[in-house]
Amino acid sequence: MSPRWGRRLGAFVFLGPGVAYLAVLLLVPLALILSYTVFRRGRFGGIVYEFTTENFSRLFDPLYLDVVLASVKLATLTTVFALLLGYPTAYLIARLPRTWKTVALVAIVLPFWTNFIIRVYAWTILLSGPGLINSALGTQLELLYNHGAIVTGLLYSYLPLMVLPLYAAIERLDPQLREASANLGASAFTTFRRVTLPLTLPGVATGCLFVFVPSFGNFVIPEILGGGRTATVGTLIRAEFLKSRDWPFGSTLALAVIVVLIVLLVIQSWVSRRG
């Protein structure tokens, strides 16, 4: 066998499984979603293969726009709170001794070692009327089945996705830059504002992307902690596929979420290049 064919065979052996995985589990479902968007829903569900653009025009119906705006609001609140909590957490971890850094990072990812649904249901116990929080405070606050409960669940679930890229960005920062700023008379706040924050913006953009995207499309947490009272893009897509059996419009909604994801990826890439 010639060296050229040997290299091709080696590339096929090593890349083949990955390419097949992407083709079967990513490209084929994506192609199906794209194709379903231009067909009609059958009378009793399913798909009628007649071309139409009605699914795209329905996206701009005020009813669905309100759902999109509610999802954007919840995802934005979650991202902002995650950034406010995640940045100081990542900063403190980056300044710890090496051994304690490892302990802190393990503690950050530790919740991922348990099932996602179990963790979400655990919050219903904490937030319910006779739950742990109300018992500790001696109150009967309505902490469950509202926007606050949804944001709390999303924040708890995705905060590690904010902390880890921020930690990586802060860890790469040259400490001599902060020392130089301090030696030139800058206060700690000025050093943070003029040196630390601008140089860690790629980590901020990546963390915001990692938190916003799953928060925007999540349907489990709004269903469990929101009690199904708040319609989001995720719950709407789930309802279109499983309850209404309107696969063409469900596919159109899913395609809209993918487009939003691509736009956010472009913005994150632009911020990373500037950083």
Side-chain angles (χ1 to χ4, degrees), residues 198-271:
L199 292 177
T200 55
L201 275 182
V204 173
T206 303
C208 290
L209 178 70
F210 284 177
V211 174
F212 184 89
V213 171
S215 300
F216 182 69
N218 192 288
F219 65 91
V220 174
I221 293 175
E223 282 285 344
I224 297 176
L225 298 183
R229 299 176 181 175
T230 301
T232 63
V233 171
T235 59
L236 184 59
I237 293 174
R238 173 178 173 275
E240 293 296 331
F241 274 102
L242 301 182
K243 295 181 180 178
S244 303
R245 295 184 59 78
D246 191 347
W247 290 16
F249 186 56
S251 298
T252 308
L253 288 168
L255 180 63
V257 173
I258 293 172
V259 171
V260 171
L261 171 61
I262 292 173
V263 171
L264 292 175
L265 282 173
V266 171
I267 294 173
Q268 186 269 338
S269 176
W270 178 76
V271 172

